[in-house]
Amino acid sequence: GESVGLHLPTLSVQEGDNSIINCAYSNSASDYFIWYKQESGKGPQFIIDIRSNMDKRQGQRVTVLLNKTVKHLSLQIAATQPGDSAVYFCAENYGGATNKLIFGTGTLLAVQP
Amino acid sequence: DGGITQSPKYLFRKEGQNVTLSCEQNLNHDAMYWYRQDPGQGLRLIYYSQIVNDFQKGDIAEGYSVSREKKESFPLTVTSAQKNPTAFYLCASSMFGNSYEQYFGPGTRLTVT
């Protein structure tokens, strides 16, 4: 909600710069990862996903990198815009048939005009 | 428009009262989920349901109850047994089996005083 950004790690960037948001995941057996964007007072929105058999996936202005060796995900946003200001969460699927996602704590991206 | 609706957006209750949060989806998704979000924390799973008339406890189910009598609806009751009920509550749904992507509703902010 409105207060979800409190006490979160914050990344502050200038408009037009590239942003890199990092996430460490916990389970080496996780087979699917998603990045979500959450604007103030709204529910999370899907940005991009990646399966564990890939190490890079590109979308429109966004790229996700997966490093399974160190259990690390990153989200790169090119030419960051004021509308990109939000909290960004990574989520991992532990595998199996339950479709359960485990979410990270999130990073607040603040874009300075 | 297809999507997930949660109502109301803001809800206020007195301590000791049970309260039910609504979640409806018209995406024809089999699976539905309830999460709780607190400032500075990731989403935590309360309950989930993979099919009508079946549901499982998530990581923080104590003090909550759910029902899944219809595919489209997954109401959450916050009971008086929940020690710290004030939070932002998010409902999500997903197709079961092929995709782990969860679609989120706009959330309900519950304040208990």
Side-chain angles (χ1 to χ4, degrees):
Chain A
E2 294 85 347
S3 59
V4 71
L6 291 179
H7 314 301
L8 288 176
T10 300
L11 175 64
S12 185
V13 300
Q14 291 294 125
E15 182 178 356
D17 288 351
N18 296 336
S19 302
I20 300 176
I21 301 170
N22 296 305
C23 175
Y25 64 91
S26 57
N27 190 341
S28 56
S30 291
D31 58 359
Y32 180 79
F33 305 87
I34 306 179
W35 279 100
Y36 283 92
K37 172 186 179 182
Q38 186 177 24
E39 296 176 337
S40 181
K42 299 182 179 179
Q45 296 174 280
F46 172 90
I47 302 173
I48 192 168
D49 58 2
I50 189 168
R51 294 197 177 271
S52 58
N53 59 357
M54 304 170 68
D55 51 26
K56 180 178 180 179
R57 189 162 189 223
Q58 287 185 290
Q60 188 176 17
R61 270 201 316 119
V62 294
T63 301
V64 56
L65 299 177
L66 174 63
N67 184 332
K68 295 182 285 294
T69 303
V70 294
K71 293 190 287 186
H72 184 268
L73 270 176
S74 68
L75 176 71
Q76 300 177 0
I77 304 173
T80 313
Q81 303 167 0
D84 295 327
S85 293
V87 175
Y88 290 81
F89 295 96
C90 66
E92 61 182 303
N93 178 265
Y94 271 17
T98 61
N99 284 26
K100 281 179 64 176
L101 292 177
I102 306 299
F103 288 82
T105 53
T107 297
L108 175 62
L109 176 64
V111 182
Q112 309 300 324
Chain B
D1 286 338
I4 302 176
T5 57
Q6 292 184 244
S7 60
K9 186 167 178 63
Y10 298 96
L11 192 52
F12 298 88
R13 280 293 183 271
K14 293 291 186 185
E15 195 173 320
Q17 293 179 333
N18 291 354
V19 59
T20 297
L21 281 60
S22 166
C23 178
E24 304 278 331
Q25 55 97 1
N26 60 4
L27 299 167
N28 200 32
H29 284 169
D30 294 301
M32 296 186 74
Y33 312 80
W34 273 106
Y35 293 92
R36 171 187 172 127
Q37 186 174 38
D38 294 285
Q41 298 194 36
L43 279 66
R44 293 185 289 169
L45 183 64
I46 304 173
Y47 267 99
Y48 64 103
S49 168
Q50 296 174 331
I51 197 168
V52 174
N53 292 322
D54 186 50
F55 48 82
Q56 287 79 40
K57 292 182 179 180
D59 301 318
I60 55 164
E62 186 175 350
Y64 299 98
S65 65
V66 293
S67 62
R68 187 84 187 278
E69 297 175 2
K70 299 186 297 183
K71 188 176 184 178
E72 309 80 47
S73 179
F74 191 40
L76 173 75
T77 297
V78 184
T79 76
S80 56
Q82 167 50 234
K83 297 283 187 263
N84 187 19
T86 294
F88 189 54
Y89 290 88
L90 287 159
C91 178
S93 70
S94 71
M95 293 175 63
F96 184 66
N98 292 333
S99 171
Y100 301 117
E101 181 184 344
Q102 294 181 15
Y103 294 78
F104 284 84
T108 293
R109 176 74 185 175
L110 173 65
T111 302
V112 176
T113 58

